[in-house]
Amino acid sequence: MDSVETSHLTKRYGDTVAVDSLDLAVPEGTVYGFLGPNGAGKTTTMRMLTSLVRPTSGSATVAGVNVTDREALVSHIGYLPEEPPLYDELTAREQLTYAAGLRGIPEPTARERMDDYFERLDLADDADLRIDAYSKGMRQKTAFVQALLHEPDVLFLDEPTSGLDPRAARTIRDTIDGLADSGTTVFLSTHILPVVDEHADVVGVLSEGRLVAEGPPADLKRRADAGEEADDDRSLEDVFLDVTSEDPASGDSDSEDEGETATPEAASAGHGPEADG
Ligand SMILES: Nc1ncnc2c1ncn2[C@@H]1O[C@H](COP(=O)(O)OP(=O)(O)OP(=O)(O)O)[C@@H](O)[C@H]1O
């Protein structure tokens, strides 16, 4: 069974098709690098897969659970969104104890896991300070631990190393590798392509709501090479710019304009709360 399966998954906001008939099949224990220009539909996809917004049409299961069944889904998933929900008036330890309680994790277990992550992420000395005194990186570390404290089957991460110093970023990336080795599926959305290149088993590139390329990073680079003069230095960035530069799905893909990777409309993403989730 695949950990993440979607079939014609679609989300519309009025006239905007944020996600357009997406078909995914992500095997257990995979690190899936989810790429795409601003406004491509990555966040919307992850919000559907974590049951925060309802698909307009199509279907999806995560860890075998239909994403419309939020109650059944929550124990199987962890989500680190771009702007993590934390209570400023709590300390990191209080915040995580509270989150662990909601997930039904026994307190001694929660404490043990927390202390382990605090050590690894260099947060131990600050774990009893209020979050409103935290730097962006300290908040990010707290939210990362919150997303995985209950050892979910599938972990959705949106820019997990955002605001982190190099050592903490490395720890997070090592943690991702370790989780995948032990069978956790990690769905990783980031604009930092070298991270995806190094850690993802499979990469999917979304553009205007559609999946325009998918495969192991090495395959994508090799495939991209085939149409070019011999060039051993193709990077994932080159592939990304190629497949998102025009609308490849329409077959109209000869473009020189490397800088533009999304339509201006698609780039002006708004992330307001939604009534139908
Ligand atoms: N709540 C909403 N209401 C209306 N439109 C929305 C909403 N959320 C997203 N959209 C639109 O859906 C499209 C996809 O947005 P989404 O946030 O999923 O993109 P993204 O790939 O995560 O972008 P980024 O890389 O900038 O975070 C955009 O056109 C955006 O404006």
Side-chain angles (χ1 to χ4, degrees):
M1 186 190 68
D2 289 316
S3 277
V4 178
E5 271 187 24
T6 72
S7 172
H8 302 298
L9 187 68
T10 299
K11 181 68 188 180
R12 290 174 187 276
Y13 290 106
D15 290 339
T16 304
V17 186
V19 177
D20 190 359
S21 199
L22 184 64
D23 293 321
L24 294 176
V26 182
E28 200 176 301
T30 301
V31 178
Y32 190 89
F34 198 44
L35 308 181
N38 295 132
K42 303 178 300 293
T43 303
T44 304
T45 301
M46 289 201 285
R47 297 191 78 198
M48 286 194 281
L49 295 177
T50 53
S51 204
L52 292 171
V53 302
R54 198 178 291 276
T56 308
S57 59
S59 60
T61 61
V62 172
V65 179
N66 196 308
V67 296
T68 55
D69 188 352
R70 177 157 176 79
E71 212 178 317
L73 191 66
V74 284
S75 63
H76 295 279
I77 58 168
Y79 182 31
L80 174 69
E82 218 171 349
E83 286 173 21
L86 299 172
Y87 290 103
D88 275 355
E89 62 271 26
L90 300 183
T91 67
R93 191 182 299 283
E94 288 165 350
Q95 166 83 40
L96 295 174
T97 303
Y98 171 72
L102 289 180
R103 306 278 198 177
I105 307 172
E107 231 183 287
T109 309
R111 204 174 317 125
E112 200 178 305
R113 288 180 193 168
M114 236 182 272
D115 285 337
D116 178 34
Y117 278 114
F118 288 155
E119 274 309 317
R120 283 158 66 176
L121 290 165
D122 203 18
L123 199 61
D125 290 346
D126 302 310
D128 295 305
L129 293 181
R130 276 167 55 135
I131 290 170
D132 62 4
Y134 277 13
S135 68
K136 179 171 168 27
M138 289 155 76
R139 296 176 70 94
Q140 185 73 4
K141 291 175 189 179
T142 307
F144 178 74
V145 179
Q146 177 166 266
L148 52 73
L149 203 60
H150 57 298
E151 301 187 333
D153 299 321
V154 186
L155 186 59
F156 295 89
L157 301 174
D158 198 345
E159 295 292 0
T161 58
S162 170
L164 296 187
D165 63 61
R167 186 181 306 279
R170 165 55 68 187
T171 303
I172 296 251
R173 282 152 44 201
D174 289 346
T175 304
I176 290 172
D177 284 344
L179 289 167
D181 286 346
S182 62
T184 307
T185 305
V186 182
F187 201 88
L188 170 66
S189 177
T190 177
H191 293 297
I192 309 175
L193 301 182
V195 168
V196 172
D197 205 1
E198 186 180 342
H199 298 274
D201 302 301
V202 180
V203 172
V205 185
L206 205 62
S207 180
E208 296 180 8
R210 290 188 299 265
L211 198 64
V212 292
E214 190 181 53
D219 285 9
L220 289 183
K221 288 186 273 184
R222 212 176 306 120
R223 239 182 281 160
D225 249 354
E228 303 280 322
E229 291 301 315
D231 176 1
D232 289 338
D233 295 327
R234 295 283 291 177
S235 67
L236 202 54
E237 183 178 88
D238 294 323
V239 175
F240 179 92
L241 293 174
D242 268 3
V243 298
T244 60
S245 62
E246 285 271 317
D247 180 1
S250 71
D252 180 18
S253 63
D254 64 334
S255 169
E256 305 261 321
D257 77 3
E258 295 198 334
E260 288 298 316
T261 56
T263 63
E265 308 87 83
S268 61
H271 294 252
E274 192 194 55
D276 71 356

